[in-house]
Amino acid sequence: MKQKHLVLLGLIISFQLTAQSTFQKGRIITLSGDTINGEIDYQSHYKLSKICNFRTAKSERIQKFSPNDIKGFIFDEKAREFERARLHYYGDSITAFLEKLVVGKMSLYSLSEIAPNQSFYIKQKDKSDYILLPFQRSERLIDNGYTKRFKIVSSVNHIDTLKKYMADASVLKSDIDRIEI
């Protein structure tokens, strides 16, 4: 009987722990370009691509912002920045928050919106279009009659896309050629 109570107590505690929010210092950028300091709920990358839970102080109520409501948000201590983007995702048009990974003449972004796998986008500095890097990685079960094992299969189409858009940056050609899957 005591074991049942302990298991039940453990389940209740684990549900409470997963339901708790972890707010970090950060700021949002409004549609008009203003910056508002406060705290942002530090969630999974998948959730952060869809919603930004924000409060100006611990005592304030939490405001939920979608990619249609703000330009983006920044975690100060984690040095992570997300920006709103309108994307073409395998034939669909979506609006999501992309995480900025590399910023420069050609910037690299990450998205975990639709599938549990990450998608990567590049964007030229003076352009508005985000270009999907067609990277896919999957596991396949290989059965040779004696043993079964999983094999990771990856595409290389993203490397060809990078070469196309980085053709004028000859100094990067050897780096792109060395990309490992």
Side-chain angles (χ1 to χ4, degrees):
M1 187 68 158
K2 286 185 180 182
Q3 287 179 337
K4 288 182 181 178
H5 290 294
L6 287 174
V7 170
L8 182 61
L9 180 63
L11 285 172
I12 292 171
I13 289 172
S14 68
F15 285 129
Q16 288 295 322
L17 289 176
T18 58
Q20 290 179 357
S21 297
T22 306
F23 279 86
Q24 303 284 326
K25 288 183 181 178
R27 55 192 185 262
I28 60 169
I29 298 97
T30 65
L31 293 176
S32 63
D34 295 331
T35 300
I36 302 172
N37 293 313
E39 295 179 329
I40 301 170
D41 191 4
Y42 194 76
Q43 306 174 66
S44 70
H45 193 275
Y46 174 76
K47 289 181 181 177
L48 288 173
S49 69
K50 295 180 174 189
I51 197 86
C52 172
N53 294 325
F54 178 79
R55 65 185 182 196
T56 54
K58 288 183 181 184
S59 61
E60 291 292 317
R61 106 182 138 78
I62 298 169
Q63 297 174 292
K64 294 180 183 286
F65 294 105
S66 78
N68 295 319
D69 301 325
I70 58 175
K71 284 186 177 180
F73 56 95
I74 301 166
F75 288 99
D76 292 336
E77 295 171 3
K78 302 283 185 187
R80 293 180 71 188
E81 185 172 346
F82 292 78
E83 82 177 38
R84 176 186 67 174
R86 287 189 174 81
L87 309 167
H88 299 287
Y89 188 85
Y90 296 108
D92 290 331
S93 181
I94 63 169
T95 303
F97 290 121
L98 295 181
E99 182 175 7
K100 289 183 184 180
L101 301 176
V102 178
V103 177
K105 288 182 181 180
M106 182 70 73
S107 297
L108 178 65
Y109 298 85
S110 171
L111 171 71
S112 291
E113 162 71 40
I114 303 297
N117 298 323
Q118 282 186 305
S119 298
F120 296 94
Y121 286 82
I122 55 174
K123 180 181 162 207
Q124 293 174 319
K125 188 175 189 173
D126 297 327
K127 306 274 180 159
S128 61
D129 292 336
Y130 295 84
I131 299 129
L132 176 66
L133 292 178
F135 176 77
Q136 292 181 332
R137 176 176 278 177
S138 61
E139 288 186 6
R140 294 191 182 145
L141 182 63
I142 307 298
D143 184 358
N144 65 6
Y146 300 105
T147 60
K148 293 180 181 178
R149 62 183 176 89
F150 283 99
K151 180 180 180 183
I152 295 177
V153 179
S154 300
S155 72
V156 293
N157 295 339
H158 62 292
I159 295 172
D160 294 335
T161 304
L162 276 175
K163 285 180 180 178
K164 174 183 170 186
Y165 285 96
M166 303 299 277
D168 60 342
S170 58
V171 74
L172 295 177
K173 185 180 181 325
S174 62
D175 291 334
I176 294 171
D177 288 336
R178 287 194 308 254
I179 293 175
E180 293 183 21
I181 301 171

